Amino acid sequence: MNSYDVRESFLRFFQERGHRRLPSAPLVPAGDPTLLFTSAGMVQFKPYFLGQAKPPHPRLTTVQKCFRTSDIDSVGDTSHLTFFEMLGNFSVGDYFKAEAIPWAWEYVTSKRWLGLDPDRLWPAVYLDDDEAFDLWRKVGVPEERIRRYGEEHNYWFSGDVGPCGPCSELHYDFGPQFGCGPACEPDHEECDRFLEIWNLVFMSYFCDGEKRDPLPSRNIDTGAGLERMAVASLFESEGWDKSRLPSVYDTDLFQPIIGRIEELSGRRYGEDEATDRAIRIVAEHSRALAFLIGDEQTPVLPSKEEQGYVVRKLLRRTMYYQLHLLDLARVRHPDGEGAVNELSVEELARRIHVKQLKQKWEAGNSFLVPVMEQVVESVRAAYPEIQRQREFILEAIISEEQQSRRTLTSGEQLLTEIMAFKVMAIGLAESLGNRHNEILGYADKAQRNAIIDEITRPELEDSLRGGGSPSRTLSGREAFLLHDTYGFPIELTREIARERDFTVDEAGFDALMERQRERARAAAKGAGAVAAEAVYASLGDTENAFCGYETLETETTVLGIIATRPSTGSGRAEDKAAHGEPVEPRAAIESAEPPAEVEVLLAETPFYPEGGGQVGDQGEIVGPQGRMAVEDTQRVAERLIVHRGRVVEGRIAVGQTVKAQVDPQRRADTMRNHTATHLLHAALRRVLGSHVRQAGSLVAPDHLRFDFTHTEAMTSEQIAEVQRLVNDKIRQNLQVETRLTSFDQAMSEGVLAFFGEKYAEEVRVVEVNSVVPRFSAELCGGTHCHHTGDIGYCLITGESSIGAGMRRIEALTGRGAEEYVRGQQAALDEMARRLSAPRDALPGKVEALLSEIDAQRKRIERLERSLASAPTTEQLLQGAVEVGDVRVLAARVDAPSLDALRYLGDGVRKAISSGVAVLGSAIEGRPQFVAIVSPDLTQRGQHAGQLLKRVATIAGGGGGGRPEMAQGGGKDPRKLDEALAAVPEIVREMAART
């Protein structure tokens, strides 16, 4: 069977036996803060086993996507994986061992199903589990192949705290030729003869970390690794060479990916162990990355925090090993390094190919994207959602590759230089003995970098002075500085060090990391926050109820008051607060008067505490003797709602009966924005794709902000479509319904949850249009409108990037949108007034102005160029000729406009004392002329207007003007020079007539 057949046959087998087939849960378990990732098939069913929730059916079967961070550094051998698929059948208080064991045997051995050789299967049971032992004998397993093992091997725990129970395993035997001797057993982890393919957990107990108590019911939890079953099935196939062991990398799960890596790198899987390890790492991590980033419910993008950091670590490790595959120094001749002239033609071609690939990668081309494309293609049949997420996955990979490229290359260079320095120091110490000054002198002449100068060189000196010697160990400080300052992951430092026979001071690194975390925690908390925690803890199990869904006003009791202003004097805190004097931060007091700043705890409150992106309510608390302005509402210590603000009148005291009143307009504005946020989320998923997930939000009364996963800027058309879709749902005035249900029921309905949030067993679902298909359904504790029409209108005001693969939408609703539109209209009205145009004609008016400005700009540019290149008046006059006793100038000039031509003519008029001048220029494709006659010649009968008329006629036009100056133009620019050449003769004729 191939892997697809194994999946489908397993599910079909258990469906025929009354199991309900459920989809895989997301790789990030929703609402479970104890796990970063789903690491076992039973994770989504824990509430059922614990009796906290009722399962949809007592018999369930799944193929669960799993990810384990503990194996990242081990990936590269033939057995460890980070991402794997776990086949599972589950019974919640239904069948038990008597059914589970025969079914396991039937599926694994029957020719209708997996069809493995029964003689190759060895069961194992817990030491005293006689029932399981007898059941394996009953299905036909010889007694000598059934093993009894202790808790280390045959007792399964879901964690230090959680459900557990004895288990029974099935091990596949590849044969004694792969074993460690005649006494080889399935529990011998040092040899490869046996492979565990099935684990039946008889989940009957709950471990609280010390003792184990019975669960409400006895359960079955099967974990059967798909990859391992595929290996066993491959070994029994006709084409497999039984003299060698297969690994998961030989199965159809990885062979297409490995083939693509070989094609891209020019390397061959099996050529040497270093190459094989690099190919396995790139293949395995690429597969894991596709599923982590491409999870439609909880996509995980590279970041600095939690799950995102794991993705970044995988990606950088993949990039590092893809560089290894492209490293020419690792391309060897089959018979050794050899000289170039000894290499085969094929080897030479391969070296050239690899060199070209490396140059492309260094120039910014992606090596990983083609590999990821092959991963997507390989899993599309079993996981069509990965195909749907293809573009999102590739965009995320490209974005992170670009960011990580420089970090990897510069970080590895720094690390290489540090290790080279240490190797040099070791060599010097071996040759120079204890001549420390000479060693340090030579070391100071070696290649250096900032870390060597700051850490490595001083540590070497301290070691030598203390009688020690240099070693092949990277100190904790060196590894920490590479990680913290240069962004080079400790995982890669460890990996590279191991490859080059170095060790890393892990304890020193961990200590520095913990010290940094402590500083960060202290900075975040501050002294006031630490003191506050003590005050909150002193209130015991006090928990104040929230009644703000039903009402904005309630009568309640003051349970406690905490002063929040720092002290500058002495005396009792409550006395200072009562008189408005500063008090110690976070001190519990009995009463407060103006202008005390305090936190007040009420027995019951309508004030919504900040959470889920929604800001805390404001309003006031009114008592029989005083009044407090509530400026913010927060939840502290997970169970308490505190009202922060100032006492503005009288006196507020513990034990008083008061009226808590939420500002209704501010709450209404906030509700509009919160419901609009849900609509925006749903619209974004419809327009951009189901990969869009909320990554943060701010719901305030005056605006909303929504952060979401998406790798590229939205187009104006996409933004318009999202806004149109949201407002269409607003106009439909759909009902916004809220209901309480179990977390698992909500998840089975496809309700959106967010992995950063904590969810109780009972959750609140907010849905718009509850009729299937729903427009929006999310887990949310916030306050919302009753109908979408209450929002009024949603206006998107901005869309921007907030980081790799993350975008932000900003929007307004209700009164905020109205004020924004009013402001825009006022601006338009002012623009219309200044442009003397009606508002609806503004676009045309602005376009005309822009065109005019552009034309004027071009004219100015032409004028500037012509003026810069135009001859001076003196230069023009040098071209004048004598006609009788009259000085005549006829010249062609480069003028961008008629104004410029007149400007040049005016200059000639002022410079010439006696004479006639005609200037001509081709302006916008037409000949133009200016004529000037000095005053003394006008008295003798020379006339500029008459002169110009005759000149312009030659160019197919006309003109005229005063005796002393005239202008005109023609139609044929080709006649311009001819017209100017006629000027002297025309002047001669005019002089003869006078």
Side-chain angles (χ1 to χ4, degrees):
M1 284 188 181
N2 62 30
S3 59
Y4 183 84
D5 293 334
V6 174
R7 287 188 199 93
E8 291 304 311
S9 69
F10 180 91
L11 294 170
R12 190 168 69 254
F13 177 89
F14 283 101
Q15 282 180 291
E16 289 182 5
R17 286 149 186 78
H19 290 65
R20 178 175 293 181
R21 178 175 178 169
L22 293 182
S24 169
L27 276 171
V28 177
D32 190 343
T34 66
L35 294 172
L36 270 182
F37 296 101
T38 300
S39 55
M42 56 76 63
V43 168
Q44 64 172 309
F45 304 127
K46 276 201 296 186
Y48 306 150
F49 296 142
L50 295 172
Q52 298 172 342
K54 184 179 179 181
H57 194 273
R59 298 183 179 187
L60 305 166
T61 184
T62 62
V63 177
Q64 176 61 52
K65 298 173 293 186
C66 299
F67 186 88
R68 290 181 182 168
T69 58
S70 57
D71 290 329
I72 290 176
D73 291 340
S74 300
V75 168
D77 61 15
T78 58
S79 59
H80 286 89
L81 300 174
T82 58
F83 173 83
F84 57 96
E85 298 173 70
M86 190 64 77
L87 311 174
N89 61 281
F90 306 90
S91 166
V92 185
D94 188 37
Y95 63 84
F96 204 51
K97 298 178 186 179
E99 294 83 4
I101 288 176
W103 283 344
W105 185 256
E106 180 183 359
Y107 175 75
V108 170
T109 62
S110 169
K111 295 299 182 183
R112 184 189 170 197
W113 304 107
L114 191 60
L116 297 181
D117 182 356
D119 293 336
R120 288 186 177 275
L121 297 173
W122 294 55
V125 300
Y126 187 55
L127 280 175
D128 60 0
D129 195 344
D130 295 332
E131 181 185 2
F133 189 95
D134 291 339
L135 285 167
W136 287 116
R137 289 183 58 190
K138 190 174 179 179
V139 299
V141 181
E143 185 171 326
E144 62 270 18
R145 289 215 313 267
I146 307 172
R147 290 292 185 262
R148 293 180 184 266
Y149 296 130
E151 193 167 283
E152 180 182 355
H153 291 285
N154 277 83
Y155 205 98
W156 192 86
F157 296 89
S158 60
D160 293 337
V161 176
C164 61
C167 63
S168 182
E169 302 165 336
L170 264 179
H171 299 267
Y172 185 82
D173 182 3
F174 290 105
Q177 68 271 30
F178 301 109
C180 54
C184 190
E185 293 256 351
D187 68 335
H188 289 185
E189 296 178 357
E190 66 275 8
C191 78
D192 298 321
R193 174 179 174 179
F194 294 97
L195 177 69
E196 180 197 323
I197 62 170
W198 196 291
N199 189 6
L200 276 169
V201 180
F202 309 124
M203 196 173 290
S204 312
Y205 302 96
F206 178 82
C207 178
D208 64 2
E210 296 180 0
K211 64 181 187 300
R212 301 169 199 173
D213 297 318
L215 289 169
S217 62
R218 298 188 306 172
N219 312 292
I220 290 292
D221 162 26
T222 291
L226 168 70
E227 292 81 4
R228 295 184 176 202
M229 295 180 101
V231 169
S233 184
L234 177 63
F235 185 75
E236 293 199 2
S237 65
E238 292 183 4
W240 187 260
D241 177 6
K242 300 299 188 293
S243 66
R244 73 181 185 93
L245 281 171
S247 79
V248 66
Y249 295 99
D250 296 303
T251 70
D252 67 304
L253 290 164
F254 281 98
Q255 276 299 293
I257 306 171
I258 288 174
R260 187 71 171 119
I261 296 170
E262 289 178 320
E263 178 185 337
L264 289 164
S265 67
R267 314 303 295 274
R268 291 293 173 265
Y269 188 63
E271 68 179 73
D272 61 60
E273 180 51 35
T275 297
D276 290 357
R277 185 167 185 270
I279 288 177
R280 287 193 290 260
I281 290 171
V282 173
E284 199 283 337
H285 286 358
S286 297
R287 187 165 170 260
L289 286 166
F291 280 90
L292 287 165
I293 297 172
D295 195 310
E296 285 188 318
Q297 293 189 54
T298 55
V300 186
L301 290 166
S303 71
K304 296 179 180 179
E305 305 296 333
E306 297 184 324
Q307 290 94 344
Y309 179 74
V310 174
V311 170
R312 176 163 287 170
K313 178 163 61 173
L314 284 180
L315 189 50
R316 289 186 175 176
R317 195 167 188 251
T318 307
M319 291 174 67
Y320 173 74
Y321 278 98
Q322 79 183 31
L323 275 178
H324 266 215
L325 289 172
L326 300 180
D327 186 351
L328 276 176
R330 298 165 60 84
V331 180
R332 297 183 176 89
H333 187 277
D335 301 322
E337 282 298 325
V340 171
N341 58 7
E342 297 175 357
L343 299 178
S344 66
V345 173
E346 292 79 8
E347 181 67 15
L348 282 171
R350 185 166 68 142
R351 290 195 175 202
I352 293 170
H353 175 63
V354 173
K355 183 177 181 180
Q356 290 171 341
L357 288 170
K358 189 171 184 181
Q359 288 171 342
K360 285 183 178 180
W361 190 90
E362 290 170 345
N365 289 45
S366 174
F367 174 89
L368 189 52
V369 163
V371 178
M372 298 300 295
E373 290 176 330
Q374 180 60 60
V375 172
V376 172
E377 180 62 29
S378 300
V379 304
R380 65 184 302 176
Y383 295 99
E385 67 271 22
I386 300 300
Q387 173 65 28
R388 292 194 295 270
Q389 297 286 80
R390 177 181 178 276
E391 294 306 316
F392 179 70
I393 294 168
L394 298 183
E395 288 167 3
I397 291 294
I398 291 169
S399 176
E400 184 64 18
E401 266 192 312
Q402 291 171 346
Q403 290 190 40
S404 299
R405 194 181 301 265
R406 183 175 297 175
T407 297
L408 281 175
T409 52
S410 62
E412 184 178 8
Q413 181 179 347
L414 282 171
L415 180 54
T416 299
E417 290 172 0
I418 293 168
M419 291 189 290
F421 185 90
K422 288 176 179 285
V423 169
M424 178 210 63
I426 292 170
L428 288 171
E430 289 174 352
S431 62
L432 298 175
N434 60 1
R435 289 145 60 184
H436 299 157
N437 288 336
E438 288 186 50
I439 294 174
L440 293 172
Y442 281 116
D444 288 338
K445 298 174 184 177
Q447 184 177 2
R448 310 279 283 276
N449 61 44
I451 299 180
I452 292 174
D453 286 337
E454 182 179 344
I455 300 174
T456 312
R457 165 64 172 75
E459 285 183 350
L460 172 64
E461 183 173 359
D462 290 344
S463 174
L464 294 174
R465 301 297 186 214
S469 60
S471 69
R472 300 179 75 93
T473 299
L474 291 166
S475 71
R477 291 181 64 210
E478 289 166 328
F480 178 77
L481 198 61
L482 278 166
H483 175 88
D484 189 59
T485 303
Y486 296 94
F488 196 71
I490 180 61
E491 295 80 17
L492 283 186
T493 297
R494 187 185 300 126
E495 195 106 24
I496 294 169
R498 183 171 61 240
E499 285 185 348
R500 303 180 191 183
D501 297 324
F502 270 76
T503 58
V504 179
D505 178 9
E506 302 270 357
F509 174 83
D510 291 341
L512 289 168
M513 284 297 294
E514 182 57 32
R515 198 177 305 165
Q516 184 189 63
R517 294 187 193 103
E518 288 173 359
R519 286 195 298 267
R521 285 193 291 264
K525 283 186 173 184
V530 174
E533 289 179 1
V535 174
Y536 300 142
S538 71
L539 297 170
D541 295 329
T542 301
E543 186 169 353
N544 42 0
F546 174 66
C547 61
Y549 295 133
E550 299 81 20
T551 181
L552 298 182
E553 182 178 307
T554 191
E555 194 170 271
T556 183
T557 305
V558 177
L559 296 180
I561 302 175
I562 299 172
T564 59
R565 293 174 64 187
S567 177
T568 56
S570 57
R572 293 196 315 150
E574 55 263 38
D575 292 340
K576 294 177 183 178
H579 294 91
E581 296 178 25
V583 298
E584 295 297 332
R586 305 298 183 183
I589 57 178
E590 292 297 317
S591 64
E593 296 180 7
E597 296 178 9
V598 295
E599 290 180 351
V600 170
L601 282 76
L602 303 175
E604 185 180 35
T605 178
F607 285 80
Y608 180 82
E610 180 177 321
Q614 180 174 330
V615 299
D617 277 333
Q618 293 181 355
E620 61 181 15
I621 296 172
V622 181
Q625 300 172 350
R627 181 168 63 90
M628 172 191 173
V630 177
E631 297 166 346
D632 189 19
T633 309
Q634 293 286 330
R635 186 179 295 277
V636 298
E638 295 190 1
R639 70 188 191 282
L640 301 173
I641 298 174
V642 297
H643 309 78
R644 294 174 177 166
R646 296 171 295 106
V647 179
V648 293
E649 291 180 14
R651 176 174 172 271
I652 297 292
V654 174
Q656 283 182 343
T657 299
V658 295
K659 182 178 289 184
Q661 301 170 326
V662 175
D663 181 336
Q665 182 167 281
R666 190 175 188 275
R667 166 71 79 84
D669 290 339
T670 305
M671 288 164 57
R672 278 189 276 269
N673 282 331
H674 204 157
T675 304
T677 299
H678 284 219
L679 297 182
L680 270 172
H681 191 184
L684 285 165
R685 286 171 63 85
R686 280 161 175 75
V687 173
L688 301 180
S690 57
H691 64 271
V692 168
R693 299 284 296 185
Q694 179 174 332
S697 66
L698 172 65
V699 180
D702 57 340
H703 72 291
L704 69 88
R705 189 178 70 215
F706 184 77
D707 301 338
F708 60 98
T709 54
H710 190 56
T711 56
E712 60 185 6
M714 293 175 66
T715 65
S716 56
E717 292 79 10
Q718 288 172 332
I719 294 172
E721 177 59 18
V722 168
Q723 183 169 287
R724 184 204 63 76
L725 187 54
V726 170
N727 284 301
D728 181 57
K729 296 304 175 185
I730 291 173
R731 286 189 296 273
Q732 291 178 28
N733 199 28
L734 301 171
Q735 187 169 355
V736 181
E737 297 186 47
T738 61
R739 58 185 170 89
L740 298 177
T741 187
S742 71
F743 178 82
D744 293 283
Q745 179 61 33
M747 292 300 96
S748 68
E749 295 175 10
V751 176
L752 293 181
F754 310 106
F755 62 79
E757 298 288 336
K758 292 183 180 180
Y759 297 106
E761 178 54 32
E762 186 175 66
V763 292
R764 183 171 181 260
V765 177
V766 177
E767 53 193 342
V768 177
N769 185 18
S770 59
V771 178
V772 176
R774 295 169 296 202
F775 183 70
S776 168
E778 299 184 16
L779 298 187
C780 181
T783 60
H784 286 271
C785 302
H786 297 298
H787 293 84
T788 57
D790 298 342
I791 298 171
Y793 183 73
C794 179
L795 180 68
I796 296 176
T797 58
E799 192 272 346
S800 60
S801 169
I802 57 170
M806 308 290 282
R807 308 295 300 177
R808 171 172 291 170
I809 281 267
E810 295 179 88
L812 303 168
T813 67
R815 294 188 310 127
E818 181 182 348
E819 288 298 320
Y820 182 87
V821 171
R822 184 179 295 120
Q824 296 295 301
Q825 288 178 331
L828 286 173
D829 288 340
E830 176 61 18
M831 188 183 298
R833 183 188 67 78
R834 297 187 66 179
L835 295 178
S836 300
R839 190 193 296 168
D840 57 0
L842 281 176
K845 184 74 171 179
V846 171
E847 186 63 33
L849 283 172
L850 289 174
S851 297
E852 183 180 340
I853 290 170
D854 187 55
Q856 294 295 337
R857 178 182 58 78
K858 291 177 180 177
R859 288 182 62 194
I860 291 169
E861 288 175 354
R862 289 198 301 270
L863 178 60
E864 288 173 343
R865 286 197 301 268
S866 85
L867 290 176
S869 61
T872 63
T873 303
E874 289 76 12
Q875 290 171 331
L876 282 172
L877 291 176
Q878 288 175 6
V881 297
E882 299 294 332
V883 178
D885 61 350
V886 178
R887 192 179 183 194
V888 178
L889 171 65
R892 178 171 183 159
V893 295
D894 183 15
S897 66
L898 191 56
D899 287 340
L901 185 61
R902 284 196 295 263
Y903 175 81
L904 289 171
D906 193 51
V908 171
R909 181 182 59 81
K910 293 177 179 177
I912 196 169
S913 57
S914 175
V916 175
V918 177
L919 302 180
S921 180
I923 298 173
E924 296 180 358
R926 294 171 63 90
Q928 299 288 344
F929 303 96
V930 171
I932 301 102
V933 177
S934 61
D936 63 310
L937 293 179
T938 61
Q939 295 174 3
R940 292 170 50 182
Q942 293 288 347
H943 193 289
Q946 295 172 3
L947 171 62
L948 189 65
K949 183 177 182 180
R950 293 183 64 182
V951 171
T953 300
I954 298 172
R962 303 189 308 274
E964 65 275 10
M965 190 169 187
Q967 69 181 47
K971 297 178 181 177
D972 189 351
R974 293 172 299 178
K975 298 287 188 177
L976 175 60
D977 291 334
E978 182 183 339
L980 290 172
V983 170
E985 188 56 36
I986 295 172
V987 172
R988 190 190 308 278
E989 291 176 4
M990 290 177 66
R993 291 198 299 266
T994 59

